[in-house]
Amino acid sequence: MHYTLHQLEIFFKISQLKSITKAAEELNLTQPAVSIQLKKFQDQFPLPLTEYLGRKIHITEFGKEIADTAENILEQVASISYKSAAYEGKVAGKLHISVVSTGKYVMPYFLSDFMKKYPGIDLTMNVTNKSEVVKSIEENTVDFAMVSVLPSHLNISRIELMRNELFLLGKDNPSKSGNHLTTKEFKKLKLIYREKGSATRQAMESFVDQQKFTNHKKIELVSNEAVKQAVIAGLGYSIMPIIGIKNELKNKEVQIIPIKNLPISTNWNLIWLSSKKQSPAAIALSNYVKENKMEIIKKHFSWMEDRSLLP
């Protein structure tokens, strides 16, 4: 057999994404180039690694075993590079971060200059809902997580990043007075919720319950972007973090609806298990965020203090 590391990388990426097109995009290759390398790799085995059902590619059981082996080989090769960099006094290694979906508007700004400073670090950032983020910390599969609500059942360390405020948003203000929405007016709104497991969903449900509102008209969507687009389209109203609607507020596509007991204020936090032995890459990120967070907030998030965006 004469397969190459390049072929191993391509096959492993295909097995992850279940798509030649997506693998090509992620590896910055053309789709024909990926298909050719997959065929050359496949031709070296007596059993098929993939099969097609309709137009969709599937990984065979034998292919899954080869993919697992390929992953181990690629990790060992990467570790050689990391060890080499360490002997040269450079910080290198893998860094895994899990971020709640609205945190995608925040975390990249804390990582951008850090990744430029440490080019030997390979970053994986998974964006999902709160329950999955907490699960990744609980199972120790990530170095850090970014959350706005701290998991009380875990012994964690944290770096407080910045304020997170949630407002009631709509395409227009349904208040007859054009001012603060009354309880009676709120009860008539069709509310748009995030999916269960989302911290934004929990905050919204908590607000509705605490105010003793009985609102039965609701829509449920599975991402912050989907909720935002639904609000812009006029499908309903939602309680959302202001961090994700900067341009929409400035362009007057949505507006903040004043109502008693809003906004809800929390804080974004970078957290990790207190018992976790941090890698050099993780220690470097902790130190970088502590030293630079105020400058990053001032540079990228000062717009949140712009009162002209608020009612």
Side-chain angles (χ1 to χ4, degrees), residues 122-191:
D122 292 327
L123 172 68
T124 300
M125 187 173 78
N126 182 40
V127 180
T128 183
N129 64 33
K130 180 201 167 189
S131 61
E132 289 299 314
V133 169
V134 172
K135 182 180 177 182
S136 67
I137 281 285
E138 203 168 21
E139 295 179 352
N140 196 27
T141 58
V142 296
D143 298 291
F144 297 100
M146 184 183 178
V147 295
S148 58
V149 180
L150 298 173
S152 57
H153 65 293
L154 296 177
N155 185 14
I156 59 166
S157 298
R158 68 173 178 135
I159 303 171
E160 188 175 296
L161 299 179
M162 55 183 280
R163 190 172 73 255
N164 178 38
E165 290 187 320
L166 292 83
F167 292 84
L168 177 64
L169 301 172
K171 189 174 179 64
D172 50 49
N173 189 342
S175 171
K176 291 181 179 179
S177 66
N179 201 351
H180 276 65
L181 207 64
T182 65
T183 301
K184 186 176 181 181
E185 289 170 331
F186 182 87
K187 288 180 179 179
K188 295 179 181 178
L189 300 183
K190 182 175 287 185
L191 298 181

Side-chain angles (χ1 to χ4, degrees), residues 9-290:
E9 182 182 24
I10 287 173
F11 177 66
F12 175 63
K13 190 59 64 177
I14 291 171
S15 72
Q16 275 188 314
L17 301 176
K18 308 296 189 294
S19 167
I20 290 176
T21 301
K22 291 179 180 178
E25 289 174 357
E26 192 156 321
L27 294 169
N28 294 314
L29 298 170
T30 65
Q31 187 173 333
V34 169
S35 296
I36 289 169
Q37 291 303 317
L38 174 62
K39 185 178 186 308
K40 287 182 177 179
F41 187 61
Q42 168 68 84
D43 288 347
Q44 298 182 67
F45 296 95
L47 298 173
L49 302 174
T50 62
E51 59 185 359
Y52 284 90
L53 298 176
R55 294 185 177 182
K56 192 171 182 181
I57 191 169
H58 292 264
I59 310 301
T60 65
E61 287 302 314
F62 177 64
K64 289 176 184 177
E65 291 190 25
I66 298 301
D68 288 341
T69 303
E71 181 180 18
N72 292 332
I73 293 171
L74 292 169
E75 285 182 353
Q76 291 300 316
V77 170
S79 72
I80 293 173
S81 299
Y82 302 147
K83 288 173 182 177
S84 176
Y87 271 97
E88 294 180 64
K90 299 176 182 177
V91 177
K94 289 188 176 182
L95 198 58
H96 296 269
I97 304 175
S98 188
V99 178
V100 292
S101 57
T102 48
K104 66 177 176 285
Y105 302 110
V106 177
M107 197 65 217
Y109 293 100
F110 285 87
L111 292 168
S112 178
D113 287 340
F114 170 78
M115 294 301 295
K116 292 174 185 175
K117 184 177 180 180
Y118 299 106
I121 292 177
D122 292 327
L123 172 68
T124 300
M125 187 173 78
N126 182 40
V127 180
T128 183
N129 64 33
K130 180 201 167 189
S131 61
E132 289 299 314
V133 169
V134 172
K135 182 180 177 182
S136 67
I137 281 285
E138 203 168 21
E139 295 179 352
N140 196 27
T141 58
V142 296
D143 298 291
F144 297 100
M146 184 183 178
V147 295
S148 58
V149 180
L150 298 173
S152 57
H153 65 293
L154 296 177
N155 185 14
I156 59 166
S157 298
R158 68 173 178 135
I159 303 171
E160 188 175 296
L161 299 179
M162 55 183 280
R163 190 172 73 255
N164 178 38
E165 290 187 320
L166 292 83
F167 292 84
L168 177 64
L169 301 172
K171 189 174 179 64
D172 50 49
N173 189 342
S175 171
K176 291 181 179 179
S177 66
N179 201 351
H180 276 65
L181 207 64
T182 65
T183 301
K184 186 176 181 181
E185 289 170 331
F186 182 87
K187 288 180 179 179
K188 295 179 181 178
L189 300 183
K190 182 175 287 185
L191 298 181
I192 305 172
Y193 287 81
R194 283 283 308 279
E195 78 284 3
K196 291 186 182 297
S198 159
T200 300
R201 164 78 174 246
Q202 292 173 353
M204 188 166 172
E205 288 181 330
S206 178
F207 172 77
V208 172
D209 291 343
Q210 286 173 11
Q211 306 310 312
K212 298 182 179 178
F213 292 146
T214 54
N215 189 306
H216 300 294
K217 299 177 183 178
K218 71 178 183 180
I219 298 171
E220 182 175 309
L221 299 174
V222 295
S223 76
N224 194 67
E225 283 299 313
V227 172
K228 181 169 68 176
Q229 293 304 319
V231 171
I232 292 171
L235 279 176
Y237 297 79
S238 189
I239 295 174
M240 296 177 63
I242 193 174
I243 191 68
I245 55 167
K246 174 185 177 181
N247 293 331
E248 289 76 15
L249 284 174
K250 287 188 172 182
N251 296 333
K252 302 188 184 305
E253 295 177 278
V254 297
Q255 60 178 291
I256 293 172
I257 314 300
I259 186 170
K260 187 179 179 181
N261 296 318
L262 284 182
I264 299 168
S265 291
T266 59
N267 285 288
W268 292 113
N269 297 275
L270 191 65
I271 67 171
W272 63 96
L273 286 175
S274 297
S275 59
K276 186 176 182 65
K277 184 178 180 181
Q278 290 190 309
S279 68
I283 292 170
L285 180 60
S286 295
N287 292 337
Y288 178 84
V289 171
K290 289 174 186 175

